Amino acid sequence: MLVILSEAKNLQILHCVQDDTDMLANAKRIVIKIGSSLIINEHNLVRESWLASLAADILALKHQCKQVIIVTSGAVALGREVLGYGYGTHKYELELEEKQAAAACGQIRLFSHWKEALRFGTETLYPAQILLTADDSINRRRYLNARNTLNTLLENEHIVPVINENDTVATEELRFGDNDRLAARVAQMAGADLLILFSDIDGLYAADPRINPQAEFKTEIADITPQIEAMAGGAGSAIGSGGMATKIAAAKIALSAGCHMIIARGTGEHPLRTLQDGGRHTRFIAKESPLSARKHWIAGSIHPAGSVTVDDGAAKALKSGKSLLPAGVTAIEGNFDRGDAVLIRDGGGKVLGKGLISYASTDAARIKGRKSQEIEQILGFKRRDVLIHRDDMVLE
Ligand code: GLU
């Protein structure tokens, strides 16, 4: 991976041109979920030409200045063949241990197909493999870690994070089991503004269209009401494990994170181009941006673990929209970890706001009142120049 990264660093700037006419025009960071039934055929082989067409679409999005994250299924399906587990007409339900073993064998095959697909004559995109468990989206430190890694990877425009669930180590109790919800968690973690779930169904219907061909197609959903949830039946496809129910669960996660979501059929070649050309889909509209959803979450749901006191200059800077630098901090109270929420107080003790802090209390105490350039020298490492970034802060 390091070799690939350093190789990518030396590449020339990828030329991208912003175009405001297509339907994905406003999205800057897009998570695209690819279901097993798209990437794998009935003989348990990768659909090479389809994958090449999707990769070409991804490159086109990169040329439109978008950041793209892929969540791909297919490891278990590809691993079945290696281990001699039945597939095609001999397919049978695998035990958890068998799924885990199949995922271990299949993931490497899956990733190598992605790597090949993202190599285009003169231009090359580099996939960066990330395997996540549900715990990575629940445990705060691990969540922050994964989030930082994603952000760092996305700073390089040639990198495409390619994510799957770490099925090999995920335990039954702590397992997504479907990549729809995993993709929504990834979208939340990455602060993405659009999540696209490509599957073998073109969107949400008021009833199961296989049973009722007249079922009404839903083009736009603004609220996930109990009626909408009732429309989502069980799993539908023969290969993947996501059905409409997991897609609705994904929509709830995405929308609460300020991320729009699209469900579209991805089985045909060039699924993204098809979508951009107006292909049929259901869109779920988020009511706020990822940033304001994050700020609401900071304001509402996390309990402060301590507080920082700032001087008058810093208090003024915060009000004008600046981040909090260590130089403006006069005192640290409480015992907190990196990523915890803390209150921000002025010299008189008045609460000015709340934010997620970039350094643990012991480290914050050592760098308070000091210049950001000194952080590395004092601590022996530096995470960020700021103690609390303005995107991680809400003021009273
Ligand atoms: N993580 C599973 C795999 O790679 C797929 C889960 C799903 O089908 O959504 O096989």
Side-chain angles (χ1 to χ4, degrees):
M1 188 68 66
L2 281 174
V3 176
I4 291 172
L5 274 170
S6 60
E7 223 179 280
K9 235 183 206 166
N10 296 334
L11 286 169
Q12 286 184 348
I13 302 294
L14 186 136
H15 289 289
C16 63
V17 182
Q18 249 161 342
D19 169 8
D20 279 346
T21 56
D22 69 82
M23 67 167 292
L24 307 178
N26 296 324
K28 294 261 178 302
R29 193 171 273 194
I30 307 168
V31 176
I32 303 168
K33 183 259 171 174
I34 307 299
S36 302
S37 59
L38 305 187
I39 198 164
I40 313 286
N41 67 19
E42 66 279 20
H43 308 295
N44 259 47
L45 297 171
V46 170
R47 296 175 66 212
E48 304 282 1
S49 128
W50 174 87
L51 185 57
S53 79
L54 171 66
D57 288 358
I58 292 170
L59 183 64
L61 284 187
K62 298 292 269 182
H63 287 162
Q64 292 158 31
C65 313
K66 318 268 186 218
Q67 293 177 328
V68 178
I69 300 172
I70 300 294
V71 174
T72 180
S73 305
V76 174
L78 279 176
R80 276 178 170 261
E81 193 203 359
V82 182
L83 290 165
Y85 298 155
Y87 53 92
T89 47
H90 302 290
K91 191 176 169 183
Y92 56 86
E93 185 61 34
L94 299 180
E95 297 295 332
L96 179 64
E97 307 81 73
E98 291 175 320
K99 270 190 203 156
Q100 294 183 309
C105 296
Q107 179 61 32
I108 191 161
R109 298 180 82 193
L110 180 65
F111 192 77
S112 69
H113 282 280
W114 273 103
K115 185 165 180 283
E116 274 315 303
L118 292 170
R119 196 191 279 271
F120 314 87
T122 50
E123 276 175 300
T124 294
L125 296 175
Y126 292 92
Q129 178 176 259
I130 306 181
L131 298 177
L132 295 174
T133 58
D135 209 22
D136 294 315
S137 75
I138 299 166
N139 177 294
R140 261 207 78 60
R141 291 201 67 175
R142 287 168 64 172
Y143 174 94
L144 282 176
N145 216 24
R147 180 185 163 88
N148 289 341
T149 307
L150 268 174
N151 281 330
T152 306
L153 288 167
L154 290 170
E155 277 166 21
N156 185 313
E157 64 227 348
H158 294 90
I159 302 291
V160 179
V162 173
I163 303 177
N164 196 357
E165 181 160 16
N166 196 347
D167 293 306
T168 302
V169 298
T171 55
E172 192 72 275
E173 326 76 76
L174 256 181
R175 190 165 173 267
F176 286 110
D178 67 87
N179 277 5
D180 294 326
R181 285 175 303 157
L182 170 67
R185 287 285 176 210
V186 167
Q188 177 186 47
M189 209 177 250
D193 34 30
L194 178 62
L195 165 65
I196 303 173
L197 301 182
F198 277 129
S199 89
D200 48 12
I201 185 151
D202 50 5
L204 181 69
Y205 288 82
D208 188 339
R210 290 164 303 178
I211 298 165
N212 176 4
Q214 311 301 326
E216 183 203 350
F217 184 80
K218 298 280 175 192
T219 35
E220 195 163 300
I221 311 272
D223 285 298
I224 302 180
T225 58
Q227 285 91 326
I228 298 291
E229 292 199 68
M231 285 175 197
S237 121
I239 301 178
S241 36
M244 207 38 86
T246 58
K247 290 180 178 48
I248 299 298
K252 279 182 158 177
I253 298 167
L255 265 48
S256 70
C259 176
H260 301 304
M261 189 180 106
I262 285 176
I263 302 177
R265 189 194 305 282
T267 41
E269 295 205 346
H270 293 289
L272 282 162
R273 196 206 286 165
T274 306
L275 195 56
Q276 282 180 308
D277 290 346
R280 185 144 123 138
H281 63 275
T282 300
R283 43 172 122 200
F284 295 77
I285 312 292
K287 293 195 172 58
E288 54 183 349
S289 69
L291 183 58
S292 80
R294 186 168 159 76
K295 292 209 172 203
H296 273 132
W297 170 72
I298 294 170
S301 58
I302 12 176
H303 191 69
S307 66
V308 295
T309 304
V310 303
D311 62 21
D312 291 349
K316 231 164 126 192
L318 298 186
K319 282 181 194 138
S320 70
K322 300 264 174 18
S323 298
L324 177 63
L325 299 174
V329 175
T330 55
I332 304 283
E333 298 92 26
N335 213 334
F336 49 81
D337 219 334
R338 173 168 75 96
D340 279 346
V342 294
L343 293 175
I344 304 165
R345 297 180 190 277
D346 68 11
K350 183 171 159 249
V351 174
L352 302 175
K354 186 168 152 188
L356 304 183
I357 195 152
S358 315
Y359 291 86
S361 48
T362 43
D363 296 331
R366 290 171 66 197
I367 57 175
K368 76 171 166 32
R370 306 292 287 267
K371 290 202 177 70
S372 299
Q373 298 91 290
E374 296 177 287
I375 296 177
E376 181 141 23
Q377 197 196 336
I378 299 169
L379 299 180
F381 67 91
K382 179 161 93 172
R383 293 198 196 285
R384 276 180 138 177
D385 279 344
V386 301
L387 205 55
I388 302 180
H389 192 274
R390 61 194 171 135
D391 289 353
D392 293 336
M393 186 192 300
V394 273
L395 296 181
E396 295 277 298

